[in-house]
Amino acid sequence: MNDHQEEHLESAEWLRDIVIGMSDGLTVPFALAAGLSGAVQSTGIIIIAGIAEIAAGSIAMGLGGYLAGKTEIDHYNSELKREHEEVELVPEKEKEEVREFFQNLGLSEEVQQKAVEEIAQDKQKWVDFMMKHELGLEKPDPKRATKSALNIGLSYVIGGLVPLSPYFFIDTPVEALKISSLVTLLCLFTFGYFKSRMTGVHPWAGALKVMLIGAVAASAAFGVAKIFEG
């Protein structure tokens, strides 16, 4: 049962990383390509600028994912150290907290006391119990930070190539932008839907919001480029 739960958790984190990386990767390169489409006549320039942005964006997003994962690990280790100290320095207080946990489950006083004494016999298990049930913290994967950085960074690259791909095959920037807009907005809607489900937001409203943000960003970039061009 525990192995299954851990696998499920890791899958959820992996999927969350991909959705975050792809949805952001779709938006920024899309806006950049749209802006350049209103200012230049060469798709080659758009491709070069787009690839440069994708490279920079994927590194920045991957680094953000790494730092977030590292912070989670550091926080867990800090709390783990504190719990070890409390078990050593104030064991009776910690026992009382364990007893209160079982009391809240509706167990009898006799069972509460037996459970407390049983848990307190092994300090490591005692600390693990406090980490999980008092603080609500699960032991993070020590490789989580690196995995998150790779997942988000690579997803950003894949997402960024979607709005850029029509420019590889169409010579006219404005014509390429039409295809890019259709494909990218559809992808943004899809990833916005899944991203919203993961964050507890209404999925359809979230999907529409993500798609509209991408559309507004691209439209604004294209409009500004046309103004300065004129």
Side-chain angles (χ1 to χ4, degrees):
M1 176 64 77
N2 289 338
D3 290 341
H4 174 73
Q5 184 176 4
E6 183 177 347
E7 182 180 349
H8 176 74
L9 179 62
E10 289 179 355
S11 298
E13 291 175 340
W14 175 81
L15 184 59
R16 182 182 62 199
D17 289 343
I18 288 181
V19 170
I20 291 173
M22 271 202 169
S23 59
D24 289 349
L26 284 163
T27 304
V28 181
F30 178 40
L32 174 65
L36 290 174
S37 295
V40 302
Q41 301 301 317
S42 171
T43 55
I45 295 175
I46 298 174
I47 292 171
I48 293 172
I51 291 176
E53 194 289 322
I54 291 172
S58 64
I59 292 172
M61 289 289 293
L63 181 59
Y66 177 84
L67 293 176
K70 190 70 168 57
T71 299
E72 180 183 354
I73 294 172
D74 290 343
H75 173 65
Y76 181 88
N77 290 335
S78 175
E79 292 297 328
L80 183 65
K81 180 181 178 182
R82 185 176 65 83
E83 283 298 330
H84 273 292
E85 291 174 350
E86 290 181 350
V87 165
E88 292 291 341
L89 299 176
V90 285
E92 293 306 317
K93 179 182 176 182
E94 294 297 291
K95 285 182 180 180
E96 179 60 22
E97 291 177 352
V98 174
R99 190 193 66 77
E100 289 177 358
F101 171 80
F102 288 112
Q103 182 183 45
N104 292 333
L105 294 180
L107 301 180
S108 66
E109 291 188 8
E110 181 182 357
V111 175
Q112 291 172 32
Q113 191 60 36
K114 287 183 178 179
V116 169
E117 295 302 325
E118 183 71 24
I119 290 174
Q121 288 181 8
D122 188 323
K123 289 185 178 179
Q124 183 57 54
K125 290 183 179 179
W126 187 2
V127 169
D128 291 341
F129 179 89
M130 299 302 289
M131 290 291 290
K132 182 174 182 179
H133 297 289
E134 180 192 12
L135 302 178
L137 296 176
E138 296 282 353
K139 185 176 181 180
D141 180 355
K143 298 179 181 179
R144 170 64 185 153
T146 301
K147 290 178 180 178
S148 182
L150 291 174
N151 290 339
I152 294 176
L154 290 175
S155 298
Y156 189 96
V157 172
I158 296 171
L161 289 174
V162 171
L164 201 61
S165 58
Y167 294 89
F168 286 95
F169 307 103
I170 301 174
D171 294 331
T172 306
V174 175
E175 291 300 318
L177 178 60
K178 293 178 182 178
I179 305 300
S180 176
S181 298
L182 180 64
V183 175
T184 304
L185 292 177
L186 179 61
C187 289
L188 281 170
F189 186 88
T190 302
F191 282 102
Y193 178 87
F194 288 107
K195 185 176 182 180
S196 298
R197 288 192 63 178
M198 291 179 186
T199 56
V201 179
H202 190 282
W204 294 109
L208 185 61
K209 180 180 178 180
V210 170
M211 184 183 71
L212 287 177
I213 289 174
V216 170
S219 299
F222 183 83
V224 170
K226 278 297 184 183
I227 291 173
F228 280 96
E229 182 189 30

